[in-house]
Amino acid sequence: MGLGWRWRGAGGTPNIRTGGSTLLWATVLLLCGTWRANTQTIEDTKSVYFWETGPWGRCMGSDCGPGGSQSRAVWCAHVDGWTTLHTNCDQSQRPSNQQNCFRVCDWHKDLYDWQLGAWNQCVSVSARTFGGMRPYVCNGGEEGIQTREVGCILKSDESPGEDTICEYFEPKPRLEQACLIPCPQDCVVSEFTPWTTCSKTCGTGLKNRVRSVLVPPLFGGSACPNLTEFQTCKPGPCKGPEGVYSLRVGPWTSCSLPISRPVGYQSRTVSCAHRNGSTVGLSRCLPRDLPLTVQSCVLAKDCELSEWADWGPCSKACVDPDPESPRGQRSRTRRLLQFSVGEGEDCPPLEETEPCDPQWDGVPPCATYTWRTTEWSDCRVDSLLSQQDRRRSNQTGLCGGGLQNREVYCVQANAELLTYLNNLKDKDEGQTPNQQKPSVPPLLSISFEITASRPVDSKLCGGPVPNTSQLCHIPCPIECEVSPWGAWGPCTYENCDVQEGKKGFKLRKREISNEPTGGPGNCPHLVEAVPCDEPSCWDWRLVRLDECSPDGELPCGPWDTDTSGDMVDRELCGGAPAPEPIACEVPCPKDCVLSDWTSWSSCSQTCSSKTIEGKQLRTRSILAYNAGEGGGMCPNSSSLQEVRNCNEHACTVYHWQTGLWGPCTEDPSASALNTTTGPRSAAGPNTNGHGPCSQGMQTRKVICVRVNVGQVPPKKCPENPRPGTVRPCRMPCKKDCIVTPFSDWSQCSPTCDAAGNIQKKKQSRNRVILQLPANGGQDCPEVLEEEKHCAAPKVCPGYRWKSHKWRRCQLVPWYIREDSPGAQETCGPGLQTRAVSCRQLDGAQADIGECLKFANTMPPITQRCQLPCQDDCQLTNWSKFSSCTADCVGVRTRKRLLVGRSKKKDKCKNTQMYPLSETQYCPCDKYNAQPVGNWSDCILAGGDRVEGLLGIKVQGDIKECGQGYRYQAMVCYDQDNRLVETSRCNSHGYIEEACIIPCPSDCKLSEWSNWSRCSKSCGSGVKVRSKWLREKPYNGGRPCPKLDHINQVYEVVPCISDCSQYVWVAEPWSVWKVSNVDLKENCGEGVQTRKVRCMLNTIDGPSESVEDYLCDPEDMPLGTRGSRLPCPEDCVLSDWGSWNRCSLPCSYNNSRKRTAYAIRSPGAGRPCPDTTEKEPCRLNLNCFHYFYNITDWSTCQLSANAVCGNGIKTRMLDCVRSDAKSVDLKFCEELSLERKWQMNISCVVECPVNCQLSDWSAWSECSHTCGLDGRMWRSRVVVQASQGDGRPCPSQLEQWKPCPVRPCYRWQYSPWSECRVEEVVCGAGLRYRNLSCFVSDGSREGEGSMVEEEQCGGLELAVNRDKLIILKETCVLPCPGECYLMEWSDWSPCLSVCAKGAGVDFGSVQVRSRAVMAQEPENIQLCPDQDWESRPCTDGECYEYKWMSSTWSGSSRITWCQRSDGLNVTGGCPPINPPGDDNNSCGPPCQMPMSFCSEAGVCMCEEGYTEVMSSSGQLDQCTPIPVLEIPTAGDKKTDVKTSRAINPTLPATIQPGRTGRTWYLQPFGPDGRLKMWVYGVAAGALVLLMFIVSMIYLACKKPKKPQRQRQMNNRLKPLTLAYDGDADM
């Protein structure tokens, strides 16, 4: 293809395409570039090098100011960026590297500053860039730039300084900023009104239509077009001569006062006007009745006031230390001397105020207010308990974290100081100047008495409110823990110093392992005693038996063994015989050999009785049998065991039992007295009244108790361990109840209802409990709030106007009106006056200024009257209406009569002009009630906060759920569907309906399961218990703790198991069973067995058998052993002793050994085996290292009676063997290993604090004073947010209910009447309007129904807040033929001058206009200019404008401009390329079928057709294109067909016949060329075709035969599949 250019000349120059000259153009460009480069190289060989400079460095110097110097780097650079030698650059052009500068110091900051100039006019960017060319199309606004001058100046004389000085302290402000130049806004006018009727009924007249200005021309926009259009009309020829002349009256002159007459007069002129607007002689209009030219009037008098009185005192008579506190107000007044009469100026305000501050000396300080709090209540845990916690029913013993509350109230902080100053002032005023003494400054001489301040209104206190609740902690009592009982001791005397009698006691003891709260007195008994006989304080104890060795030279035979006893003074055991040697025998080689006796077993019973005896057992076994008759015989089996009695004392156990300590009572021996304290007693602030005040004593009961029996005489128990019965104590101080004084009575302002009746109110006062009584202190008073009726005045305060009788009618003096045609001296129109006074509501006289301030509008004091002339019709006054016979359907009438000569005059008998009766329907009292609006929130009945004991408020006890009521407003209408008071429908204004607020339900879990067994039988492990979910929370209940996948929560705590609690117990070995028996000698290889059991170990030894898995299997003794039974004369050894312990550290070089000894010596020639056995020490086999192992910290463990708060984390210490087996701690303790760990630390469990809310506030005022939409609100705030797993805050913090519906009454003007000019045709006249009372429901502005004026009697006389009531105004009725300006149009809606796309607003404006109205075609040139005026407004709407067009009708259509709110306007739309009204706006015209002229002036085809362009680039024809219709759910057609567009201007959604989305495949663009996507589709199709051909070729291609060598190599390669996990493999 090649390069090409395309352009279009003016006048439709044909397109020129160049495609074959690509090579020629490229050659030309290459030659031009080469020539230019060579020329530049020849001219300037050194232009590739230039000087480069760095930034100036910091100004350096010794002194501040000028005289410093700064330097910079200078180097030579190549154009490619690299640095080169200085000699390559022109040395004459080298920049300087140093310059003088101004050295700035910190103190220069106060001398220099930036001076900012004003922003210059916004200049468009295009004007700056293109030399003043403005864009042709303005879209919203044109971007511009504003500049200003910024310079550094010396502040003292504003002389300029260097910018670097100011830049040292602050960056230089910007010199320019972006701005927006608004687009010119053309004038926008509304559509024309319909044509008026013809101004004439015959002849040639005019029809007019007018429009108003909606948007004034702004920012240089086009001026407004004509607001009036005229059209001549000819209703028909006039039958007679047309009216050419008309009477025209002028305006009334100002009122003038004749001499000595109270009523003034005014006059006007009467002229004759031609229809062309000229004035002619009055005779041309005669004969006609001329109107009045003179009338009575009231001379205008302006309101006159006296001079201002002096300023009153300042309302603020104190000095407030807070500068932001509100200032005081002072006022001054003036009296009314003359109120306005007639058209005189109204009275200005009679009172004015201004802010002030007290200025005199000795101004006291203002009262300051602060928050005070009561003391904290007792700490309570029950408020933290969940709903399912069983402890809610029994709260005794609860401890841990809790909540305590207090009440907050407002007090005057400096009340004592102000009282002192007032007393001092009163004292000074009561003394003469000679008696006064210089006083000490107040703050130095005051000794304040600390008393409780009286509460005041909480609104007076500012700042944050102190917390009313806080977390607290009740220490959990530490339970006493004791060790297991020790073994029973020997039978001893109670007192070894006094050994009397034969009766003693055996004692056993236990120790306190964990001391409880309150000392050891709260522990169970620690000593138990058993009476016994033959006590002894000292006795011999056998320690060991020596080996049996024969005496002399005998190798064997009987002998005695020596005994050893305790190492004490033998004289102490003098009363008891010393142990004697025990006979023994050393077996001879042929004797029977027996083992040593085993140790005595544990006693089978702990005590003895008649039926129960304790027994102990020991055994021995045969080690070798005797040799026939020659040796000593073996005993029988009964001689191999011995049994003895044990624990022979009776099963009667005694101990001392103590009762609880009694209350602390006064100790008579103590000298201190118990005193009563106040809130700041010596007990301290946090002792809750339990601080010590005096010495006291406590007693308790101590008795002797026999176990399982009960109390016995004290002599049964040993006296020595008897607990004490008396102990000293400190008595707590008494605390009296402390309350504040009563607050002042609440304000009581009398209010009156609409009827003027006084509504009774109540006032109240209250006091607050500061401290509750304790320890026998004085109780609190029962009455904390008092209430009483307000002292109401007899009459409601207020003022009203009282009007007096009208005076007689005053006529204009006869000498003034005697020249008027038809005037009579004693009759005619006049004026009458009356007096008005001000009264209080009780009728008493009041100053007229009070009524001007507080009463309604003053009634009129003048009115027009008529003194009837002889020719006038005279009638009586109207009678009263007749009574009604039936409501709603009946009528009532009133009548009047003609008087005197009027009865005979025909014109007076005309009942249309002078009706003699009036009829009206009787009032209807039928009313209809119906509900309106939505239901209110569900409001609980009596939802006030529950108060705790003695008035202390308990936070969080608000009733939050249960049955309440919701309300719906009722509205009452009369028979005319007008809103009336709801009392007319016998309704209190509401429908009430019961409702339910569901109560929150907390998460419910099961009770804790039992603790599991410790996971280890030796050392530290864990034990677990769990809860499971029973019920999820709902309605805002407490959330559940974190649960696992099966909805369970676990608690895991460490535990430790005594390694010796379970032990293996082995019974004696059985008799040898010899397998290879020599019948003669009974010896040889044999087997012995024994039973081994796992038993629970106690202090008294193993007690009962348990499961074998509880014992360590590695420590299990052998139950079978095989050995050789010695034959006669063989050496017999004892059992091997225990291995001695290997020395640490374990090493293979070390060894351990065990020994045995020869019980029977061998016969002659027979050796004795080695009595010592050794083995090497091997790590983790027979030698072990030991070390401590510390576990992780447990979770925070609380007391059983605690919910949260302080707890303990524990961890366990294990002794671990080197093979990782846990062993008893004694192994590590024996090695004296270091124990440096802390085993317990304190911790805190977050308390589940429920959300606490404040009380509901009082109901607000109604949001609307009347109408249907009024609502009252009340709210509450979160006092304490929820913590932990506490109940979350409810979402509803506000509630509303409807207000009683009240009718909305308002004063409203009626429309202005037409201009009235009495009986003449044109001229100056009056137009009138009425002021009526309207009622509405407040839902839509300006709507309503008219009602009696009495309903608006309580309202201020004002319309739309405008108190100036104007019911008549002058006007001009144009004479026939005059051209005049119409009245002003209404103000247009507020319009924002904005650029909607740019989001820029230039303010809001509204406009009104006056159009011209003409009546005669020949007078149009004399019409005045039309007028418009604008004013700013707020919150205007931003509109857009766009061209709209109708569908084509033949070759034309209608176009118009439309605003974005749908209003059709003229102006506002862009003037460029509006849609054409016909098809001929394109050149050449679009004459092809289905074509139209676009906004761009190009012929295009309608939707559904594609353009086919000619070679000249013009539209040749429109051809239909294929359409793919995608059917919708309701379209059952599924075929593809050609569709033609019906109306291209309609959106697709409203075109007939279209039910699905349509895709149009248009291959040609508007210029006739193929679109780009067509080339893409063709290329894709070509690639796809090539791919298909290639695949067919490969599939059909004949495969080549593989070479044999290659095939053999492939046989050697196994097939390997690599599977990557894809399922498709």
Side-chain angles (χ1 to χ4, degrees), residues 880-886 891-893 922:
K880 293 183 178 180
F881 276 106
S882 62
S883 59
C884 282
T885 57
V891 293
R892 59 181 183 177
T893 59
C922 290

Side-chain angles (χ1 to χ4, degrees), residues 373 427 461 507 557 604 647 779 815 973 1376 1427 1432 1600 1622:
T373 60
K427 189 181 297 183
C461 282
L507 303 179
S604 60
N647 288 342
D779 291 335
Y815 72 90
Y973 294 100
D1427 195 10
K1600 293 182 180 181
D1622 192 349

